[in-house]
Amino acid sequence: MIENFPLYKDAHDEDDYRNLLGEAHFIRAYFYFALAKRYGGVPIVDHVQDPTADAEELQLARSTESEIYRFIHSDLKFAMDNMYARTERGRANKFAAAALLSRAMLYAGTIAKYGGYTTASPDPAAKAGHVGIPASEATWFFTEAYNAALFFETEQGGYSLYQKQADKEQNFVDLFLDPDSPEDIFIKEYTITSPHNNRLKHNYDALMSPQGDFVSDVGSGSYPSLETIEKFHDLGIVNADGTPRRFNTREELWQDYEPRLRASVYFSGMELRGKNFDIRRGFYKTFTGQADDAQLGSTEAPVNNGDNRIIAAGRYDVYNDMTIAGSHGAWNRDIENNTITGFFVRKYVNYEMAVEDARLYNSEQPWKVIRYAEVLLNRAEAAYELSLDPTAGNSATYLSDAQTQISRIRDRAGATPYTLTAGAAVVQTINGQNIDENLQFIRDERYRELVFENHYWWDIRRWRIADKVLNQYRPLGLFPYLVLDENKYIFIKEYNIENKTFNFEVRSFYESIPAGELNRNPKLIQNPIY
């Protein structure tokens, strides 16, 4: 398209021609960014290859990781300069290009600053620059990320945070379901009325809530961890003396939690499709000690002995005419379709869909590939990184702008205000680079806003912390128990019921170049540690 479309320029309106050529560059950049995230530097194919040419001509060497990101930068700048400001839903425009540029350049900036791989490494791929970006380039990439996000303001893109509902919880729920959202920059559409009767639908609703009460097919298989909830809030489940706080109902736990959290996660007692989530782990006949006495659910803990703690082996186990685990709670056997952490996902769930319609291949809410809130978060992170860089200048201006963007996000979320301060304390060091309290908060804010939207996996990779976050990581849950001799609820931290553990190897910051590609092209160099 890019190579041959100019031959047909005279057959098109000038603006249409420029827009279509810009869209082709956007698509190429989108594809190369997907490769760069996984492999680092890959061969740049910027012309149409002749399949009958000699092998030597077809076998291209990998470019450096920096060259790939600069290639992406060039394509997206071309797209920004040539595309329309608005196009039909589901297709890119110049602002989608700017948003993708802000994302890609932020990735490159953090890889340069925190990556650790350098050409001084003995590994061949690192020595050649195929993985890792020189730290000296971080400032340029952060500046380009910042300027791309700023493009929305300077060019008056017309995008804004979704704020149609006065109730901030309901507003954040509807953000992901409203087909006419001013926050949507680039979306993947699904609809039963697609061309050629392709039935472009998905299964999200069928796979997020328990079958029977909320969906008519399959049932839930994804559960937020307790660590997710703790990113938003102090839980308020333990008294100052270390004893579990008592609750009259399970609903009391989350009543004062941030609206954005309540809009993202289903807690026990919340309503969906005319029924309420009934989540419980079991009963304690009595609980007189400290919360820590439960030892994260260990069967060895004296308070959890079989006579005092009553938990279910199966879904329908009953004690004193009460379902032990609650209809949607946790038990120890055949646990598919019920929570293993004490929570369910709410974000993106179509609450207006009838139970009988919540089945496989019947959901059509669009996937928000890029939304305006991410652009503001990209801007805040890039601005704060630049505020720390003495070579970038304008430190106070960058710090102020980072504060402004975080405040915009938190105000829409219904969260308490947070103030970034100069000279914040260091909380961790990655590859010789300090992460201070402000930067950590900006990263956590990104997690909170974009949770369940396919960002965090890539974020912890580009920040080079995945090997620490997922170091024999065993997700926790938070489970309600009814204390029978008090008729009060307590909430106990325990490991997830399936005892799943996750680990991230250092080599996985880059994926392995497939063996078939290496065999076909001797110019390719394998990524480190494979």
Side-chain angles (χ1 to χ4, degrees), residues 210 213-214 276-279 315 325-331 338-339 344:
D213 288 336
F214 305 110
N276 296 93
F277 285 89
D278 177 19
I279 302 167
R315 181 172 189 174
S327 301
H328 317 117
W331 53 82
N338 272 49
T339 182
F344 292 91

Side-chain angles (χ1 to χ4, degrees), residues 130-391:
H130 300 327
V131 296
I133 299 174
S136 59
E137 298 184 36
T139 303
W140 187 86
F141 282 116
F142 284 136
T143 301
E144 291 303 301
Y146 181 78
N147 289 339
L150 197 63
F151 182 79
F152 283 77
E153 186 174 303
T154 58
E155 296 298 314
Q156 298 181 341
Y159 295 93
S160 61
L161 294 176
Y162 186 89
Q163 300 191 78
K164 291 187 179 183
Q165 303 279 1
D167 181 280
K168 291 185 181 292
E169 178 183 337
Q170 189 61 48
N171 183 72
F172 202 78
V173 169
D174 289 347
L175 156 62
F176 298 93
L177 304 172
D178 189 338
D180 186 28
S181 169
E183 193 162 335
D184 291 349
I185 297 173
F186 191 46
I187 64 172
K188 182 174 182 178
E189 281 207 282
Y190 298 83
T191 173
I192 198 169
T193 59
S194 59
H196 314 298
N197 195 32
N198 284 330
R199 289 183 60 88
L200 293 174
K201 290 205 169 186
H202 57 84
N203 306 319
Y204 194 87
D205 289 286
L207 299 176
M208 287 296 147
S209 306
Q211 183 181 359
D213 288 336
F214 305 110
V215 304
S216 62
D217 198 6
V218 184
S220 59
S222 296
Y223 312 100
S225 68
L226 174 60
E227 290 85 348
T228 293
I229 313 304
E230 290 179 318
K231 286 282 190 182
F232 290 81
H233 268 286
D234 175 74
L235 299 173
I237 59 171
V238 179
N239 296 315
D241 63 359
T243 59
R245 179 182 162 195
R246 266 58 175 178
F247 296 85
N248 293 313
T249 67
R250 286 165 282 181
E251 292 83 351
E252 287 182 22
L253 172 74
W254 49 266
Q255 292 295 328
D256 295 325
Y257 282 1
E258 180 185 299
R260 179 176 52 180
L261 171 58
R262 301 198 305 263
S264 301
V265 174
Y266 277 118
F267 294 86
S268 189
M270 284 187 169
E271 182 182 347
L272 172 63
R273 301 178 185 133
K275 293 192 176 181
N276 296 93
F277 285 89
D278 177 19
I279 302 167
R280 187 171 52 239
R281 176 75 168 116
F283 305 114
Y284 278 104
K285 292 182 179 179
T286 187
F287 198 111
T288 58
Q290 306 284 298
D292 289 345
D293 292 344
Q295 298 178 23
L296 298 177
S298 170
T299 56
E300 303 302 316
V303 72
N304 292 337
N305 69 63
D307 184 55
N308 187 52
R309 186 180 69 155
I310 301 158
I311 55 177
R315 181 172 189 174
Y316 301 108
D317 289 5
V318 173
Y319 179 82
N320 285 356
D321 297 325
M322 291 185 290
T323 302
I324 295 173
S327 301
H328 317 117
W331 53 82
N332 292 346
R333 186 185 69 239
D334 301 327
I335 54 180
E336 184 179 355
N337 195 39
N338 272 49
T339 182
I340 65 171
T341 62
F343 313 104
F344 292 91
V345 173
R346 185 178 186 185
K347 183 178 281 189
Y348 271 114
V349 169
N350 182 2
Y351 62 90
E352 293 184 331
M353 174 180 277
V355 173
E356 58 270 21
D357 293 329
R359 61 183 189 274
L360 290 177
Y361 308 112
N362 207 44
S363 294
E364 58 182 357
Q365 56 269 47
W367 178 254
K368 317 281 187 174
V369 180
I370 310 175
R371 61 185 180 93
Y372 188 55
E374 185 210 335
V375 173
L376 300 183
L377 289 162
N378 295 346
R379 179 173 167 179
E381 186 178 342
Y384 192 75
E385 289 282 10
L386 290 168
S387 79
L388 299 174
D389 184 350
T391 69

Side-chain angles (χ1 to χ4, degrees), residues 38-40 62 65 117-118 121-132 464 505-513 525-530:
R38 292 164 172 82
Y39 301 107
R62 297 175 65 182
E65 187 167 8
Y117 284 110
T118 70
S121 167
D123 186 274
K127 187 177 288 294
H130 300 327
V131 296
R464 295 302 190 253
E505 298 180 3
V506 169
R507 70 178 186 176
S508 298
F509 284 120
Y510 295 96
E511 296 180 22
S512 170
I513 304 295
I525 299 175
Q526 181 58 282
N527 276 335
I529 322 178
Y530 286 102

